[in-house]
């Protein structure tokens, strides 16, 4: 093991050196020897000795073993230069006479050299003595510190082991108590379960004997019944065989008749479809010619066609989605702002009652939500307009459908918002067409969208018509009736200042005129129901406004419910729901005329 010990801070003795010039003069031709030869450091080693750090190796002998005496003795065993005095040096034998003697100056040089070496060997360096003592002190100090640290380490390990053993014993005791409690609990549970199992076993054994007795009796009854059943089966098989033969003959006859009937019906259906197609094409041509002829007049008076109104509504809906709801949903900061205001709109709309103060309060609160002191961004404002219109429509689909009178306050609040919020008339009308199709115009769904693009599939066409997947005809008709009742109720409110054309009272006359020209809409159950709603809401006032012209329109509608629309079909169609709706239309027309 090797230990590294720092030097002591005690001052070292000053090493005495001879001048280099003198050392060179003493041994000009001698080579440099290391400490292994003479027991001394070379001059170069002595010059750098102050800068070295020493490492002690326990396996190596200490410096005290290398003293001058040992060096002298080792040197004396190998060379005469290592004797203590010149008297101890043995006298060499005289050289053979054949060798020439050295000159006097060489002999003196050799003697001086030998004397210098002896003097150097006998010199004791205090610095080396101090250095050896320092190594010994450092070793003792390092050993002492190592022993102290080892003792502390062993003591700490002993304490840790004792503490760990104590904790283990406490944990063992605690676990032993828990296991004992658990075993006691399991024993009690086992006794209780054993008791219950014994009781169940006794009940099962009793029930088993009862079933055995019943089974024996049942088997006796079965044997008697089996003989009777075999006889009945033989008779029944014979009877079924005769019936199957008769049934097969009857089915063949019926199948032949059904095939003949199906062929006749298919032929009639093809003829009917062809006739309807020709009639529709003829009506479309006549309508297009009539519209083309009336185009100049309509432009002069500012009227639009049903197709133009439908395309404008679809376009407004497309702009509302791209620049409103979809744009806001794609940005989190705008979405949170829109969501916070949207959550305030629905409760406000649901609080409407037939009270002027409540109507005015709810209207002002809705306007403040959409027009706060710090205006919303345009995209958020458009999205909020869509949310407000949707809230009105949802309220109409639920509340107005259940109670017709609830449409009055809802229509008044919607009318107040239409006259205050910019852009709401277009958005509201577009949302109506989105929820119920083209019934607010009215128009049958065209074969292309507003931009001339054909419908991608039936699902897109169904969505554009306002219908939902797996929604029955009755539910769809009720939704349309609720929304249209709200629409007509808003049209009947007298405005303080003019609104958009789709929210003005003349729109009622336009709606009736367009519906009477759409036979396919009148032939549907929904068409008859919506016609009844329109007459119920605006019929009496329309008679006072348009007088004889509206009476003529009522006569035409009544003729459609009694004699037909000119093609042998009545308003509402042949279904029971259509018959009921047609009856309500007749009663409403009679009430208007009598009133």
């Amino acid at each position: 093991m090797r230990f590294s010990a720092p030097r002591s801070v005690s001052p070292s003795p000053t090493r005495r050196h001879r001048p280099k010039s003198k050392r060179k003069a003493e041994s000009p031709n001698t080579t440099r020897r290391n400490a292994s030869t003479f027991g001394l450091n070379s001059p170069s080693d002595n010059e750098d000795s102050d800068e070295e750090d020493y490492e002690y190796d326990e396996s190596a002998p200490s410096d005290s073993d290398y003293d001058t005496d040992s060096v002298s003795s080792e040197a004396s065993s190998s060379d005469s230069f290592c004797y203590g005095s010149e008297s101890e040096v043995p006298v060499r034998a005289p050289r053979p006479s054949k060798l020439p003697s050295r000159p006097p100056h060489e002999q003196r040089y050799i003697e001086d050299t030998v004397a210098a070496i002896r003097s150097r060997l006998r010199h004791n360096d205090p610095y080396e003595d101090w250095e050896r003592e320092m190594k010994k002190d450092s070793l003792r100090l390092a050993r002492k510190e190592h022993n102290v640290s080892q003792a502390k380490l062993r003591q700490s390990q002993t304490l840790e082991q004792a503490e760990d053993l104590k904790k283990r014993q406490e944990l063992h005791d605690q676990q032993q108590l828990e296991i004992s409690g658990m075993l006691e609990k399991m024993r009690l549970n086992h006794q209780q379960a054993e008791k219950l199992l014994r009781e169940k076993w006794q009940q099962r054994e009793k029930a088993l004997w009862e079933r055995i007795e019943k089974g024996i009796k049942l088997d006796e009854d079965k044997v008697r019944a089996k003989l009777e059943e075999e006889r009945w089966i033989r008779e029944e098989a014979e009877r079924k065989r005769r019936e199957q033969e008769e049934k097969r003959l009857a089915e063949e006859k019926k199948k032949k008749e059904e095939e003949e009937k199906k062929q006749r019906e298919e032929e009639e259906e093809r003829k009917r479809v062809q006739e309807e197609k020709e009639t529709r094409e003829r009506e479309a041509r006549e309508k297009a010619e009539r519209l083309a002829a009336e185009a100049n007049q309509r432009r002069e008076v500012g009227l639009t066609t049903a197709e133009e109104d439908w395309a404008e509504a679809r376009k407004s809906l497309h702009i509302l989605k791209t620049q409103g709801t979809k744009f806001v949903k794609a940005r989190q900061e705008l979405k949170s702002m829109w969501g916070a205001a949207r959550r305030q709109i629905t409760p406000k709309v649901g609080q409407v009652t037939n009270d002027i103060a409540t109507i005015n309060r709810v209207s002002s609160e809705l306007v403040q939500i959409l027009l706060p002191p710090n205006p919303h961004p345009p995209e958020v404002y458009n999205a909020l307009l869509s949310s407000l219109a949707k809230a009105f429509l949802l309220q109409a689909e639920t509340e107005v459908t259940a109670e017709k009178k609830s449409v009055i306050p809802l229509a008044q609040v919607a009318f107040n918002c239409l006259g205050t919020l910019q852009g709401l008339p277009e958005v509201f009308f577009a949302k109506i067409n989105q929820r119920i199709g083209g019934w607010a115009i009215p128009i049958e769904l065209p074969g292309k969208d507003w931009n001339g693009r054909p419908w991608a599939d039936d699902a897109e066409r169904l969505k554009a018509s306002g219908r939902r997947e797996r929604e029955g005809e009755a539910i769809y008709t009720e939704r349309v009736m609720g929304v249209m009742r709200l629409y007509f109720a808003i049209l009947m409110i007298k405005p303080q200042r003019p609104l958009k054309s789709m929210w003005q009272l003349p729109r009622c006359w336009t709606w009736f005129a367009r519906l009477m020209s759409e036979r396919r809409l009148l032939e549907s159950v929904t068409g008859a129901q919506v016609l009844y709603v329109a007459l119920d809401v605006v019929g009496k006032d329309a008679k006072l406004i348009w007088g004889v012209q509206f009476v003529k329109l009522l006569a035409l509608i009544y003729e459609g419910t009694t004699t037909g629309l000119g093609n042998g079909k009545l308003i509402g169609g042949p279904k029971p729901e259509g018959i009921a709706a047609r009856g309500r239309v007749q009663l409403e027309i009679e009430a208007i005329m009598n009133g």
Side-chain angles (χ1 to χ4, degrees):
M1 181 180 294
R2 298 176 65 89
F3 296 89
S4 176
R7 288 189 175 182
S8 174
V9 296
S10 61
S12 62
T14 304
R15 171 174 290 187
R16 289 172 289 179
H17 298 281
R18 286 177 295 174
K20 294 182 180 181
S21 60
K22 186 176 181 180
R23 290 200 300 270
K24 292 180 180 179
E26 290 177 353
S27 56
N29 296 326
T30 60
T31 58
R32 183 177 301 172
R33 294 179 173 86
N34 54 19
S36 64
T37 304
F38 301 104
L40 299 172
N41 291 329
S42 63
S44 61
D45 295 335
N46 294 333
E47 292 174 2
D48 299 332
S49 61
D50 295 338
E51 302 297 331
E52 294 178 352
D53 291 333
Y54 293 88
E55 292 182 355
Y56 179 77
D57 190 353
E58 290 180 347
S59 62
S62 61
D63 291 348
S64 63
D65 297 334
Y66 293 95
D67 54 4
T68 57
D69 295 336
S70 62
V71 173
S72 300
S73 62
E74 291 176 1
S76 63
S77 64
S78 61
D79 197 343
S80 60
F81 294 127
C82 297
Y83 287 107
S85 62
E86 293 182 2
S87 62
E88 296 178 2
V89 178
V91 180
R92 291 175 177 247
R95 296 180 179 274
S97 60
K98 63 180 180 179
L99 295 174
S101 60
R102 290 187 177 89
H105 66 277
E106 290 183 2
Q107 187 65 30
R108 285 193 303 271
Y109 178 76
I110 292 172
E111 292 175 357
D112 293 339
T113 302
V114 171
I117 292 172
R118 288 174 178 173
S119 177
R120 186 177 182 86
L121 289 173
R122 293 170 182 171
H123 175 71
N124 184 22
D125 193 349
Y127 180 82
E128 294 179 353
D129 296 340
W130 172 83
E131 190 173 31
R132 284 192 295 272
E133 292 298 326
M134 283 300 299
K135 287 183 178 180
K136 293 179 181 180
D137 295 341
S138 299
L139 178 60
R140 286 193 297 272
L141 181 61
R143 285 180 175 175
K144 182 178 179 181
E145 292 178 353
H146 177 69
N147 293 333
V148 172
S149 62
Q150 289 295 321
K152 290 182 178 180
L153 176 61
R154 286 192 292 273
Q155 184 180 4
S156 62
Q157 290 177 348
T158 304
L159 294 176
E160 290 178 357
Q161 291 175 358
E163 186 177 356
D164 183 61
L165 182 60
K166 182 180 178 181
K167 290 182 178 179
R168 288 175 179 270
Q169 185 64 30
E170 292 177 354
L171 180 62
H172 178 268
D173 296 340
Q174 182 181 359
Q175 291 178 348
Q176 188 174 6
L177 291 176
E178 292 178 355
I179 292 173
S180 300
M182 187 181 300
L183 292 175
E184 181 65 21
K185 185 177 180 181
M186 291 175 63
R187 186 181 65 79
L188 295 176
N189 292 337
H190 178 70
Q191 291 178 356
Q192 186 177 3
E194 185 178 359
K195 181 179 179 181
L196 293 175
L197 184 61
R198 190 177 294 108
E199 293 176 356
K200 290 181 180 179
W201 179 263
Q202 293 175 356
Q203 294 176 1
R204 180 179 177 274
E205 187 177 6
K206 182 179 178 181
L208 179 61
W209 282 109
E210 292 177 355
R211 287 199 300 271
I212 290 173
E213 294 175 357
K214 291 180 180 179
I216 294 172
K217 184 179 180 181
L218 184 63
D219 290 339
E220 294 175 353
D221 296 339
K222 283 183 178 180
V223 171
R224 289 192 299 267
K226 186 176 181 180
L227 298 175
E228 183 69 21
E229 185 179 0
E230 289 177 353
R231 183 184 62 81
W232 181 82
I233 287 174
R234 290 192 298 269
E235 295 176 356
E236 188 69 16
E238 182 66 20
R239 184 181 62 81
K240 286 183 177 180
R241 188 184 63 78
R242 292 193 300 268
E243 289 180 355
Q244 289 178 356
E245 184 67 20
E246 295 174 358
K247 185 177 180 180
R248 183 180 62 81
L249 296 175
E251 287 179 353
E252 290 179 356
K253 183 178 179 181
K254 182 179 180 181
K255 185 176 181 181
K256 185 176 180 180
E257 293 176 354
E258 288 179 352
E259 290 178 355
E260 295 176 355
K261 182 179 179 181
K262 185 176 181 181
Q263 291 178 357
R264 290 195 300 271
E265 290 178 352
E266 290 178 353
E267 184 66 24
E268 293 176 357
E269 182 67 19
R270 284 195 296 271
K271 291 181 179 179
R272 186 182 64 79
V273 171
Q274 184 65 26
E275 290 176 357
E276 289 182 355
K277 183 178 179 181
E278 293 176 355
T279 302
R280 195 181 304 113
E281 292 177 353
R282 183 178 66 257
E283 291 176 353
R285 288 194 301 270
E286 293 175 355
K287 184 177 180 180
E289 292 174 357
R290 185 176 69 256
L291 294 176
E294 298 173 355
N296 294 330
Q297 296 179 1
R298 288 198 308 273
R299 283 195 294 269
E300 291 177 357
V301 297
L303 298 177
T304 57
T305 62
E307 290 78 5
E308 292 174 350
D309 291 343
W310 183 85
E312 186 65 26
R314 290 287 298 177
K315 182 179 180 181
S316 300
L317 182 63
H318 175 73
I319 295 174
L320 179 63
K321 287 184 176 181
T322 55
Q323 300 181 7
T325 54
K326 288 185 178 180
F327 184 86
V328 171
K329 290 180 180 179
R331 290 156 177 81
Q332 186 60 37
E333 64 280 2
L334 299 180
K335 184 179 179 181
S336 59
M337 187 185 305
W338 169 60
R342 179 171 57 91
R343 285 188 291 271
Q344 302 177 22
I345 292 176
T346 303
K348 299 297 181 184
V349 176
Q351 296 173 2
V352 179
T353 58
N354 195 9
D355 179 42
I356 297 177
T358 304
I359 292 173
N360 294 333
R361 178 181 59 81
V362 173
S363 301
S364 61
E365 290 176 353
L366 290 174
V367 172
Q368 289 176 2
I369 292 173
L370 274 78
L371 299 176
N374 297 325
H376 295 298
E379 297 82 4
V380 177
Y381 178 73
N382 292 334
L384 291 176
L385 290 178
S386 176
S387 300
L388 179 60
K390 184 177 180 180
F392 286 140
L393 295 177
L394 290 176
Q395 190 74 7
E397 292 177 3
T398 55
E399 296 294 333
V400 176
T401 302
E403 179 58 41
K404 296 189 296 184
K405 294 181 179 180
S406 62
V407 74
I408 298 174
L410 182 63
Q412 187 63 53
V413 173
F415 178 80
N416 294 338
C417 294
L418 287 171
T420 306
L421 298 175
Q422 184 178 2
L424 182 59
E426 295 84 353
V427 173
F428 198 179
F429 193 73
K431 295 295 288 185
I432 290 176
N433 283 272
Q434 180 189 15
R435 300 289 296 184
I436 62 173
W439 287 104
I441 294 177
I443 186 176
E444 187 180 2
L445 187 67
K448 298 180 181 180
D449 204 350
W450 65 275
N451 53 4
R453 179 183 63 84
W455 306 113
D457 50 17
D458 294 338
E460 185 180 7
R461 183 182 181 88
L462 186 69
K463 184 177 180 181
S465 65
R467 298 179 181 270
R468 301 170 184 171
E469 294 182 1
R470 298 183 296 274
E471 183 182 42
E473 186 70 22
I475 298 176
Y476 173 72
T477 302
E478 289 180 358
R479 289 198 304 109
V480 174
M481 290 173 63
V483 173
M484 290 304 298
R485 186 174 291 275
L486 174 63
Y487 180 62
F488 289 126
I490 295 174
L491 293 180
M492 296 306 298
I493 299 176
K494 296 180 180 180
Q496 299 295 330
R497 56 180 180 274
L499 298 177
K500 296 292 183 179
S501 59
M502 71 283 292
W503 298 101
Q504 295 179 3
L505 181 60
R507 192 75 173 191
C508 294
W509 177 265
T510 304
W511 188 87
F512 280 109
R514 288 177 178 175
L515 181 62
M516 296 308 297
S517 63
E518 296 288 346
R519 293 185 178 181
R520 291 176 62 85
L521 296 180
L522 290 173
E523 293 171 4
S524 64
V525 177
T526 307
Q529 296 281 22
V530 174
L531 183 59
Y532 161 71
V533 170
L535 294 174
D536 184 32
V537 177
V538 305
K540 296 179 180 179
D541 294 333
K543 180 184 176 183
L544 297 176
I545 295 172
W546 290 292
V548 179
Q549 297 296 327
F550 190 74
V551 172
K552 292 180 180 179
L553 182 62
L554 293 177
L556 182 61
I557 296 173
Y558 196 84
E559 182 180 355
T561 60
T562 54
T563 60
L565 301 171
N567 55 358
K569 295 182 180 181
L570 299 175
I571 293 176
K575 294 182 179 180
E577 297 84 356
I579 295 174
R582 185 164 56 249
R584 284 193 289 270
V585 171
Q586 293 176 358
L587 293 175
E588 190 63 32
I589 293 175
E590 292 173 1
I592 292 171
M593 296 304 298
N594 294 332

